[in-house]
């Protein structure tokens, strides 16, 4: 784990947080635990920092500050399979909701090198548990399970959800990791049914994963534009002239009343406003001119869908609302509208 050097502020010494794990371990260790309480799941969406070298930094995929959706599960050995399965199914569901198809699941194992914590028996047991769960879950789904030696974390094997970008590079989006080592190092235990003290098992899991890497994957998949349901501005409304201001405002009111995110642009020439909207990556541009007011239509430009045409005003709001609720990646515009691929 690469860490930045300590910082002195006044008489105190501080370090940037490199991981959430120790903090969750300390929370677990704050009092005695019974086998009846387990599993205990602690979740945190928190920033972490790594002193990555400048040569390995890459856009949002490899950064020095990571905002991680991080969960740690403390469980008994007999609960490992159920907890790993729950974590893997949750992560796969999250990627489906995001519209990010997973290319394959990687069982990341240790190699023959040094630097790994824990015994050979612990690693073998963890490998077997992850492999069995992976095969059971993926037997019902599409992504294949591929084993890779040397890709494990230093404290245990893991199941990694892998996506492949347009350059053919693989990125890990989310992960489920078994850890037999940190409970030993932090002395994490529970009182078993027979009254003895037993070592707890720690599972590291990310349902969505790094927020930065997820955004990078979404931008890659949707060619620089976020899907409608994630776009900061879902509809940008533009009147051609002041005579259409009221009609444009009414359309924006309908859009906002439907729970969508819209803005009204009135300053500057129409061409300049359209260019600015495209540069901001607003998802849909709606132009209201004199002809559109008379016909109760809106001229729509959707670069992501390659659509440019006139749509009835009521149909526009309904279509955007349904697409937002269903989290569609590309809007299916009506075939009876006049459509053509707009210039990018």
């Amino acid at each position: 784990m690469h860490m930045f050097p300590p910082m002195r502020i006044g008489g105190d010494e501080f370090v940037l947080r490199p991981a959430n794990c120790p903090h969750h371990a300390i929370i677990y260790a704050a009092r005695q635990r019974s086998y009846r309480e387990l599993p205990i799941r602690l979740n945190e969406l928190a920033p972490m920092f790594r002193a990555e070298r400048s040569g390995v930094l890459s856009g949002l995929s490899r950064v020095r500050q990571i905002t991680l959706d991080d969960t740690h599960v403390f469980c008994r050995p007999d609960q490992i399979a159920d907890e790993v399965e729950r974590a893997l199914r949750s992560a796969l569901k999250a990627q489906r909701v995001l519209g990010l198809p997973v290319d394959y699941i990687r069982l990341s194992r240790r190699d023959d090198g040094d630097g790994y914590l824990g015994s050979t028996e612990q690693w073998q047991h963890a490998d077997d548990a992850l492999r069995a769960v992976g095969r059971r879950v993926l037997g019902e789904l599409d992504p294949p399970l591929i084993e890779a030696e040397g890709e494990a974390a230093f404290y245990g094997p893991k199941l990694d959800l892998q996506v492949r970008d347009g350059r053919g590079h693989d990125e890990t989006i989310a992960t489920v990791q078994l850890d037999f080592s940190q409970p030993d190092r932090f002395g994490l235990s529970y009182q078993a049914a027979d009254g003895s003290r037993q070592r707890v098992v720690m599972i590291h899991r990310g349902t969505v994963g790094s927020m930065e890497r997820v955004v990078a994957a979404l931008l890659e998949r949707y060619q620089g534009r976020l899907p409608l349901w994630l776009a900061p501005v879902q509809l940008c409304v533009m009147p051609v002239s002041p005579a259409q201001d009221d009609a444009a405002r009414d359309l924006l009111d309908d859009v906002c009343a439907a729970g969508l995110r819209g803005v009204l642009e009135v300053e500057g020439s129409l061409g300049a406003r359209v260019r600015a909207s495209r540069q901001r990556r607003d998802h849909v541009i709606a132009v209201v001119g004199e002809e559109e007011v008379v016909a109760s239509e809106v001229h729509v430009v959707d670069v992501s869908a390659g659509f440019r045409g006139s749509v009835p005003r009521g149909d526009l709001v309904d279509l955007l609302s349904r697409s937002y609720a269903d989290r569609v990646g590309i809007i299916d515009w009506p075939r009876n509208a006049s459509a053509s691929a707009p210039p990018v």
Side-chain angles (χ1 to χ4, degrees):
M1 180 72 69
H2 301 292
M3 291 182 59
F4 289 96
M7 302 175 291
R8 296 200 65 83
I9 301 177
D12 298 318
E13 186 174 80
F14 295 88
V15 294
L16 293 173
R17 190 186 204 189
N20 301 328
C21 323
H23 300 77
H24 291 180
I26 291 172
I27 292 173
Y28 177 88
R31 64 176 179 84
Q32 291 188 354
R33 307 287 181 174
S34 165
Y35 74 98
R36 296 170 62 187
E37 297 179 68
L38 303 181
I40 292 174
R41 307 181 188 99
L42 301 177
N43 175 265
E44 185 175 2
L45 180 63
M48 302 184 303
F49 302 86
R50 292 180 180 174
E52 302 281 13
R53 293 167 296 176
S54 60
V56 301
L57 297 176
S58 177
L60 288 171
S61 298
R62 195 70 176 259
V63 293
R64 289 181 173 135
Q65 176 178 324
I66 308 165
T67 307
L68 191 64
D69 163 39
D70 212 357
T71 300
H72 294 96
V73 181
F74 302 90
C75 65
R76 305 188 306 265
D78 61 290
Q79 297 172 321
I80 289 176
D82 288 343
E83 289 302 311
V84 170
E85 182 170 347
R86 175 194 292 266
L88 184 56
R89 289 187 185 278
S90 295
L92 288 168
K93 180 180 179 180
Q95 304 314 312
R96 288 196 298 271
V97 169
L98 286 168
L100 289 174
V102 176
D103 289 289
Y104 65 96
I105 307 297
R106 184 179 69 192
L107 173 55
S108 298
R109 304 169 56 201
R110 64 180 292 179
D111 54 23
D112 295 331
D114 299 326
Y116 296 102
L117 303 178
S119 67
T120 301
E121 292 74 17
Q122 286 177 325
W123 277 83
Q124 186 62 53
H125 178 69
D127 281 351
D128 292 343
L130 292 181
R131 185 182 296 107
V133 171
R135 288 174 176 171
R136 181 165 65 249
V137 172
L138 299 179
E140 311 163 12
L141 303 168
D142 292 334
L145 178 67
I146 297 175
E147 299 193 17
E149 292 189 357
E151 295 293 337
F154 65 92
Y155 49 76
K158 52 183 180 167
L159 290 171
D160 296 320
L161 278 66
Q162 299 293 115
V163 297
R164 190 169 291 115
D165 63 22
R167 300 168 296 171
H169 295 168
D170 290 352
E171 294 285 357
T172 300
I173 289 293
T175 186
V176 183
Q177 307 174 5
L178 284 187
D179 187 350
F180 294 94
S181 176
Q182 284 199 57
D184 282 335
R185 305 181 83 184
F186 282 91
L188 306 181
S189 61
Y190 64 92
Q191 185 174 20
D194 61 3
S196 63
R197 304 300 300 177
Q198 300 294 328
R199 191 66 74 212
V200 76
V201 177
M202 189 174 182
I203 299 175
H204 308 252
R205 51 173 282 196
T207 303
V208 176
S210 159
M211 299 298 109
E212 293 79 10
R213 192 167 289 178
V214 167
V215 171
L218 285 167
L219 292 174
E220 175 77 26
R221 175 165 176 75
Y222 293 104
Q223 299 180 348
R225 295 175 181 273
L226 292 173
L228 175 77
W229 66 279
L230 275 177
V233 176
Q234 295 168 319
L235 182 69
C236 182
V237 183
M238 302 179 188
V240 173
S241 71
Q244 291 85 46
D245 283 356
D246 289 343
R249 169 59 67 180
D250 289 344
L251 174 60
L252 181 64
D253 289 344
D254 291 344
V255 167
C256 294
L260 299 167
R261 298 182 290 274
V263 296
L264 181 67
E265 290 288 350
V266 297
E267 297 295 332
S269 68
L270 180 62
R273 283 179 278 159
V274 170
R275 286 192 297 273
S277 179
R278 286 182 174 173
Q279 289 174 351
R280 289 195 307 265
R281 298 297 194 267
D282 298 343
H283 199 85
V284 176
I285 300 173
V287 177
V288 181
E290 182 178 354
E291 293 182 3
E292 285 76 25
V293 172
V294 172
S296 192
E297 292 182 337
V298 180
H299 187 77
V300 170
V301 177
D302 181 352
V303 175
S304 297
F307 176 84
R308 184 179 188 178
S310 296
V311 177
R313 174 177 155 171
D315 292 352
L316 172 63
V317 178
D318 289 343
L319 180 57
L320 292 179
S321 296
R322 290 196 307 272
S323 299
Y324 176 49
D326 296 340
R327 294 190 177 95
V328 302
I330 303 297
I331 300 175
D332 185 16
W333 293 98
R335 298 181 181 277
N336 58 351
S338 56
S340 61
V344 177

